[in-house]
Amino acid sequence: MVKLKKFKEVFDQLHTDEGADPEKQWLMNHAQSDSTRAAIRNSRNFTHSELAILSTLTEHDDTLAFKLLQEESSLSQGMLSRYVERLANNGLIEKFHTPENQKAVMLRNTTIGHEIGDLHLKLHAAQNRRYKEVLNRYSRSEQETVLAFLNDFAAARQSLE
């Protein structure tokens, strides 16, 4: 049973929100401006969805119609609206209309929103490089065994009766 305890401890580390936030620390360490560091520090917590919105706008040259953002997002319209409103209230995006279409809500990253969106994209690239380094230490067969184990372990956690 000692092994079960160790497995559970490692598994719990993969989804815990307690203690340090390595992603937020990475963003702080790589931010270029004091105002961006302040925005990151002062945010109680950016949700991953909020960071994804900023990143998506960054990938679209900082401007995108709300409707197109919704099509690219897995969020409901209501949830997306709440996140957009929160980002706008925090000065990270702007909402506006174009002269050609006064109905369509357009979204634009502010300078700080762009920097945070760009940092989020770079964070994911850095994480993916690290994950690939770890995966390369194991054979394909070992990777498949570990993946099967993790899937079974996660399923056991989800299927409590």
Side-chain angles (χ1 to χ4, degrees), residues 113-147:
H114 172 83
E115 186 175 349
I116 293 172
D118 188 52
L119 283 169
H120 186 240
L121 292 169
K122 289 176 181 175
L123 168 65
H124 277 286
Q127 287 174 321
N128 287 338
R129 280 192 302 275
R130 295 292 308 268
Y131 297 151
K132 286 177 184 178
E133 289 171 8
V134 170
L135 283 173
N136 287 334
R137 293 184 213 156
Y138 299 91
S139 70
R140 184 175 186 88
S141 173
E142 289 170 322
Q143 290 176 27
E144 289 171 4
T145 300
V146 169
L147 183 58

Side-chain angles (χ1 to χ4, degrees), residues 3-20:
K3 289 181 184 176
L4 175 61
K5 182 179 178 183
K6 290 194 181 286
F7 280 120
K8 284 177 59 179
E9 287 172 1
V10 171
F11 196 77
D12 287 345
Q13 286 177 10
L14 294 174
H15 61 82
T16 186
D17 289 333
E18 296 176 15

